[in-house]
Structure formats: structure tokens, C-alpha cells
């Protein structure tokens, strides 16, 4: 029986928030890079997705929804899924439980107030979670998370209550009614394409982007050949993939997926389909 590969193109619309929240940078130059993401790159990307008839998922921080409501409404009106991505791109690992709740609620409020959206899914800024995150996501009614890396092409259940011992075996906690649709730093454009100085962090960026694209295509080909029932989830950032010739890499990924006869779908749909086939026990 022929299996149709499933592809999730996802975009983290971080704009100004990534510089402010994760890297602590708010100078006019870094703010201008957020402006480029919202005002130039995102419309370019949306034009391509419309032309190619591709549906995708966008994770949008509340601050960027509040700052750029019109382009976020265009994302919504084009039929793309919108997910939660913090408020000001805050890493949950730096927050206590109360602060993490506050960020979740501020992000939910912005998405509802500006876009009328109650998201099914969440992606953590910088792909990192606190020990409270999955429990809070389940409590707030999220259906899935897309921040972890316990598989490459297969969803699985999130857990809560892991005990990470250093002198004996790790004790894994209970599974939640929360699906993980995994990601990978190797399928993310930002750390390979963007330059930033935020001492002690230096992001060199500007590697051989065509070589990077070759590796992405190889990963897609591998999934189609070896994990036919899997899902290929790729993470893009408008300010990275949407600048000049880099956007041709997005087109290349779309065309390669079409060569495979792939179905483009949302992360929410993947999570819902997987959950229906893998109900929780107990």
C-alpha cells in the first residue's frame, strides 16, 4: 500500500521578541531585524505558500501579535494554523511556576484579543521546557507541544514528573494527554543562518546555506524512504529563511516534498490524528 508522506512546514514568527526575550538585545539595529521579519520576509513567505497551495503552522509570541497585528491577521486569514510561542520569547527554564503561568496567559490573551484564536499547540521559545511546562500545557488545555526531540519523525506522549538523578537511573514520570510533535535543531534555520553577538553567546551564522539545504533534503528523503508513516517537521524563522536568496531554499523544500507526493498539513492535524490512533491509557 502506498503511503503519502506528511510534511509540516512551521514558522516561528519571532520578529522583535527573539532579540528582546531570548538574547536581551533591544538596540535599534536588532529591532530593525524584527521589522524585516514582519514587514518584508513574512509577506514574501506567505506569497510563496499561497502560490504553492501549502498550508503551514505559525508559532507567534504575544508581543509580536500585539506589535504586528495586520500581518498576523494575514497569516490567520490564509488558513494557516497559529500556535502559542510565549509572550516576549521568554524561555520557561528561567521562570518559576507563577511566572510561567503568567507568560502562558499573556500569550493566550494576545492571540485571542488580536486574532480570535485559541491555539491547540505550543512551541517553547528556544526549544526548551521547564519541569512544570508539560503539566501546565495540559492544564491549560493544549493538545500538543512541539519543542522536544525524543524522536525525529514520530509523535509521542509528553510526560510530567521526571526525576533526573545523577547517581542512579533516571525515573520517568507519567504520560499526559498531550502529544509531542518533535523538532530538531538540525532542521531549524536560525542557528545556522543568523548572526548575533550577545555575550557570552556568539552566533556566527552565514554558513554554506546551500550545503545546509542539501542536508535538509537528505533528511526529507530519508524519512520518505525509511519512515513512511512519519511526519517531517521543519522550523523556519522569517528573518532567516525570508532574506533574499535564502527563500529559494524554502521553495526547494516545497518542490522536493511535492516530488515525493507529500501532503502538507498542520502540526495540529498531525497531533490530532496520532492521538486518535494512540489513546491514553487509564
Amino acid at each position: 500500500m502506498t503511503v503519502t508522506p506528511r510534511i509540516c512546514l512551521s514558522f516561528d514568527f519571532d520578529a522583535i521578541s527573539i532579540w528582546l526575550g531570548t538574547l536581551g538585545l533591544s538596540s535599534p539595529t536588532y529591532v530593525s531585524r524584527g521589522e524585516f521579519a514582519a514587514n518584508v520576509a513574512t509577506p514574501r513567505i506567505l506569497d510563496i505558500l499561497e502560490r504553492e497551495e501549502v498550508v503551514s503552522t505559525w508559532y507567534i509570541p504575544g508581543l509580536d501579535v500585539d506589535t504586528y497585528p495586520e500581518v498576523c491577521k494575514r497569516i490567520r486569514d490564509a488558513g494557516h494554523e497559529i500556535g502559542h510561542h510565549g509572550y516576549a520569547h521568554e524561555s520557561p527554564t528561567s521562570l518559576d511556576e507563577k511566572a510561567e503561568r503568567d507568560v502562558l496567559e499573556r500569550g493566550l490573551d494576545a492571540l485571542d484579543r488580536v486574532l480570535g484564536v485559541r491555539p491547540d499547540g505550543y512551541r517553547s521559545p528556544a526549544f526548551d521546557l521547564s519541569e512544570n511546562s508539560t503539566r501546565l500545557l495540559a492544564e491549560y488545555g493544549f493538545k500538543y507541544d512541539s519543542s522536544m526531540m525524543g524522536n525525529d519523525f514520530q509523535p509521542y506522549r509528553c510526560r510530567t514528573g521526571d526525576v533526573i538523578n545523577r547517581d542512579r537511573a533516571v525515573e520517568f514520570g507519567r504520560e499526559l494527554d498531550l502529544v509531542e510533535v518533535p523538532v530538531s535543531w538540525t532542521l531549524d534555520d536560525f542557528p545556522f543562518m543568523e548572526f548575533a553577538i550577545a555575550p557570552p553567546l556568539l552566533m556566527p551564522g552565514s554558513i554554506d546555506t546551500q550545503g545546509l539545504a542539501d542536508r535538509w533534503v537528505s533528511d526529507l528523503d530519508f524519512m520518505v524512504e525509511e519512515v513512511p508513516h512519519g511526519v517531517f517537521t521543519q522550523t523556519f524563522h522569517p528573518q532567516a529563511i525570508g532574506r533574499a536568496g535564502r527563500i529559494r531554499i524554502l521553495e526547494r523544500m516545497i518542490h522536493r516534498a511535492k516530488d515525493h507526493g507529500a501532503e502538507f498539513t498542520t502540526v495540529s492535524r498531525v497531533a490530532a490524528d496520532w492521538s486518535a490512533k494512540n489513546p491514553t491509557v487509564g
Side-chain angles (χ1 to χ4, degrees):
M1 182 178 67
T2 302
V3 176
T4 301
R6 305 187 81 187
I7 311 295
C8 290
L9 299 183
S10 66
F11 298 86
D12 291 1
F13 180 87
D14 298 337
I16 293 172
S17 65
I18 191 169
W19 307 113
L20 181 65
T22 295
L23 298 173
L25 300 168
S26 58
S27 71
T29 294
Y30 282 102
V31 169
S32 73
R33 290 169 72 170
E35 293 179 70
F36 173 84
N39 296 330
V40 180
T42 294
R44 283 179 182 167
I45 292 166
L46 291 173
D47 287 346
I48 288 172
L49 297 178
E50 181 179 8
R51 183 179 72 237
E52 298 289 345
E53 299 182 317
V54 168
V55 67
S56 62
T57 299
W58 292 68
Y59 298 96
I60 309 180
L63 182 146
D64 293 312
V65 171
D66 282 337
T67 305
Y68 297 107
E70 293 310 312
V71 71
C72 292
K73 289 176 182 177
R74 183 181 170 188
I75 294 168
R76 176 202 63 191
D77 293 347
H80 302 293
E81 179 193 0
I82 291 175
H84 195 299
H85 199 44
Y87 186 79
H89 211 269
E90 310 90 341
S91 172
T93 59
S94 66
L95 306 174
D96 62 23
E97 182 170 339
K98 180 182 182 304
E100 189 170 356
R101 286 181 180 276
D102 289 345
V103 167
L104 282 173
E105 291 173 4
R106 284 201 300 274
L108 288 169
D109 172 70
L111 293 174
D112 179 43
R113 174 169 36 80
V114 178
L115 302 178
V117 168
R118 175 74 187 200
D120 286 336
Y122 173 85
R123 174 171 288 164
S124 171
F127 288 158
D128 211 354
L129 301 171
S130 78
E131 62 183 11
N132 300 311
S133 295
T134 55
R135 173 174 52 82
L136 291 177
L137 293 176
E139 178 184 329
Y140 278 84
F142 288 91
K143 304 300 184 185
Y144 76 87
D145 172 67
S146 185
S147 312
M148 294 192 284
M149 308 178 189
N151 207 310
D152 47 10
F153 306 123
Q154 298 278 12
Y156 58 94
R157 291 279 173 200
C158 297
R159 297 188 306 270
T160 188
D162 286 0
V163 179
I164 309 301
N165 299 308
R166 296 179 182 274
D167 58 347
R168 59 189 184 279
V170 169
E171 302 169 52
F172 295 116
R174 64 182 176 87
E175 290 189 345
L176 296 165
D177 191 16
L178 182 72
V179 177
E180 180 63 33
V181 180
V183 292
S184 171
W185 279 116
T186 61
L187 292 176
D188 187 308
D189 58 355
F190 196 91
F192 301 107
M193 292 183 176
E194 288 301 292
F195 175 85
I197 300 174
L201 176 66
L202 170 65
M203 296 177 60
S206 299
I207 68 160
D208 175 8
T209 53
Q210 293 306 315
L212 178 63
D214 289 343
R215 293 193 289 276
W216 288 346
V217 167
S218 293
D219 281 1
L220 173 58
D221 291 347
F222 177 90
M223 189 207 75
V224 171
E225 295 163 7
E226 303 294 338
V227 193
H229 291 91
V231 57
F232 186 86
T233 303
Q234 184 151 22
T235 303
F236 295 112
H237 296 74
Q239 55 200 295
I241 201 65
R243 187 174 289 278
R246 295 175 184 177
I247 205 162
R248 302 303 183 202
I249 298 174
L250 172 61
E251 293 176 316
R252 181 181 173 190
M253 295 303 297
I254 291 172
H255 296 159
R256 185 61 172 175
K258 287 184 174 182
D259 288 344
H260 286 300
E263 173 196 1
F264 292 93
T265 188
T266 64
V267 183
S268 178
R269 172 50 56 194
V270 166
D273 290 349
W274 187 89
S275 186
K277 296 175 182 177
N278 299 270
T280 53
V281 178

